[in-house]
Structure formats: structure tokens, C-alpha cells
Amino acid sequence: MDWNELEKACESCKKCELYKTRNKNVFGVGDKKARILFVGEGPGAEEDRLGEPFVGRAGKLLDTMLASIGIDRSQIYIANIVKCRPPQNRDPSPEEQTACTPWLDAQIELIDPAMIVCLGRIAAGYLIKKDFKITAEHGHWFTYNGRRITAIYHPAALLRDPSKRGDTFEDLRMIEEESKLIK
Ligand code: URA
């Protein structure tokens, strides 16, 4: 499937119950040839309304975090583990994640990024390892099909608990350094 076919197919996806309550499918945004892919959890209310990832409060913070290491969102690609909003912003269930992640797998194949940054434990639990512990393992490097992969706290977690921001600042610096080494 090429990019347009993939996006079209994803838009009409009914592989789990989340399609029943979605307003918009939130496929992803950014440079389809990006060297760095950021992966969040799933759309919130604003994202569901506008069809774009990270446009609410957490998204504004993500933009600030990116700017602190000289990155604009147009230079990267941003996607989520699930493409439709889980009601009340609950965690996507294991069944919903299993139904939805083939879309992300296909996006990763097409983008072919050199580095992946997981935003929070849900993304890390799928892309790094099942029992990923965000508190202990954020900012560590792992490998995903030959790519560098790491996880940082989700911006929504930083809004809830600003004491985590220092750690995230260091993780972002580490990502900035690593990004200088990738082509
Ligand atoms: N939180 C996420 O994980 N993804 C979004 O797109 C917005 C908020």
C-alpha cells in the first residue's frame, strides 16, 4: 500500500469499537520522510475534533519541548498507537491496540525513520517491550528493527506532575545529541 491508500483505508477503519464514537480518525502529521518519528498514545478531545495529533494542551507542551531542542513539528512525523479517541481519554485497551497497531507498523515501514521517540508508557509498551517501566527506563536507548528508540514522559504526565520536567529536559538533550549522529 502506498501512503494515500494507507491513509484512506485507515480513515474508514472499523476494526475495533472506537470507530463508533470517533469524530475524526487521527492518522498522523508531519514529514513522511522524517528521520525522527514521535509516537503518542491516542487522540484526545481536540485531536478527535480536528483530526490532527497533539493539538490540545499536551500538544502545545510537546511543541515547546521540541522547540527546546531546535525541532519544529514539520521536520518530524507524529503518530499515535491508536488512531481513534478512547472515550473519556482512558488508556486504549489491549484489544484496541492490537486492532490498531498494524496502521502504525505500516507507517513506520513507509517513513523508515532512523529514530523513534515514544511519548509515554503505552507507546513504549508496544514499540520497546511489554513491561516497559517509564519511571525507571525513560531516556534509555533500545533497538527497534535496527532503529534507535527511546521513551520520554508523555507531555500530559508532565502537565499533571511538573516535577518530572527536569528528567525530560535531560532526555530531550540526549535525543538532540543522538539526532546529530543519524542521517
Ligand atoms: N495525547 C496523545 O497521546 N496523542 C495525541 O494525539 C494527543 C494527546
Side-chain angles (χ1 to χ4, degrees):
M1 258 195 232
D2 71 15
W3 193 270
N4 289 336
E5 288 166 345
L6 187 72
E7 190 161 3
K8 268 237 136 15
C10 185
E11 246 169 47
S12 52
C13 180
K14 294 185 177 176
K15 287 190 201 152
C16 79
E17 299 287 293
L18 293 182
Y19 82 90
K20 292 183 180 165
T21 46
R22 75 174 168 225
N23 286 303
K24 287 211 170 133
N25 172 295
V26 181
F27 184 65
V29 73
D31 179 359
K32 299 182 186 84
K33 293 261 169 284
R35 305 316 294 134
I36 313 180
L37 168 69
F38 281 73
V39 181
E41 181 177 319
E46 275 303 277
E47 290 79 17
D48 174 67
R49 192 171 72 79
L50 298 170
E52 190 173 323
F54 285 98
V55 287
R57 266 184 84 216
K60 301 272 175 297
L61 179 55
L62 177 62
D63 286 342
T64 307
M65 289 159 61
L66 292 173
S68 78
I69 52 169
I71 296 178
D72 181 83
R73 68 159 65 199
S74 64
Q75 298 170 287
I76 57 168
Y77 197 85
I78 309 176
N80 279 309
I81 290 289
V82 295
K83 312 302 192 198
C84 299
R85 183 188 182 205
Q88 279 83 49
N89 297 344
R90 62 164 170 75
D91 286 354
S93 70
E95 294 73 26
E96 288 157 359
Q97 293 185 46
T98 301
C100 203
T101 40
W103 300 117
L104 177 65
D105 297 343
Q107 287 175 304
I108 295 174
E109 280 291 303
L110 288 170
I111 299 166
D112 192 20
M115 187 196 293
I116 302 176
V117 179
C118 301
L119 297 167
R121 93 192 136 78
I122 298 280
Y126 176 65
L127 292 170
I128 300 179
K129 56 180 175 172
K130 215 170 175 266
D131 60 347
F132 189 88
K133 299 271 178 293
I134 192 78
T135 310
E137 296 178 293
H138 68 84
H140 293 201
W141 288 109
F142 298 84
T143 304
Y144 178 90
N145 292 346
R147 303 175 173 97
R148 304 290 275 154
I149 186 166
T150 190
I152 62 176
Y153 285 115
H154 193 288
L158 301 177
L159 288 171
R160 282 193 300 272
D161 180 1
S163 72
K164 292 186 165 82
R165 289 187 186 201
D167 279 355
T168 303
F169 187 75
E170 283 178 24
D171 293 347
L172 287 166
R173 286 268 159 274
M174 177 196 79
I175 290 164
E176 183 182 27
E177 285 310 310
E178 190 69 20
S179 71
K180 291 177 189 159
L181 305 176
I182 59 170
K183 294 266 170 342

